[in-house]
Amino acid sequence: QVQLVESGGGSVQAGGALRLSCAASGYSFNKYCMGWFRQAPGKEREGIATIDSFDRTKYADSVKDRFTISKDVNKTTLYLQMNSLEPEDTAMYFCARSRAIYVCTSGLEAFGYDGWGQGTQVTVSS
């Protein structure tokens, strides 16, 4: 059974940084594409970063050059380093496991992911 547990969210001022973690269990961690998504109140869930089995990454334009996705296979943990945070980054952040193995065939689209964590809140104040 796929289990994903996010942590590391919190409240920071604009320009600050946070690192989110997602502890994964119940499946072969490095066999699947993994992604980070976020959802602000009243908005649709937005894919922001993915990483595949070969450590190839993809970012949404809104976070490119500020956020970095990575993983530790030995710890079966996914990370999202978030720098230069902006108030517009305020949202609930979710990690997710792709339906696809090895490569991220659905990119940043949420329909391509079938395992989700409960989310961790990030609030950025100006």
Side-chain angles (χ1 to χ4, degrees), residues 40-107:
K43 295 189 176 181
E44 291 189 355
R45 189 164 296 192
E46 173 191 19
I48 57 174
T50 63
I51 186 167
D52 68 13
S53 298
F54 309 101
D55 289 342
R56 294 176 299 191
T57 58
K58 179 182 175 71
Y59 297 93
D61 289 342
S62 58
V63 305
K64 205 169 186 179
D65 299 327
R66 299 189 298 124
F67 291 10
T68 302
I69 188 171
S70 63
K71 59 185 175 180
D72 185 326
V73 175
N74 292 327
K75 295 182 178 179
T76 65
T77 300
L78 182 72
Y79 300 101
L80 185 69
Q81 178 66 45
M82 305 187 296
N83 298 329
S84 302
L85 283 161
E86 304 168 351
E88 293 73 23
D89 296 317
T90 294
M92 185 73 78
Y93 283 71
F94 302 88
C95 64
R97 190 197 77 168
S98 173
R99 300 177 191 275
I101 57 174
Y102 302 125
V103 297
C104 301
T105 55
S106 61

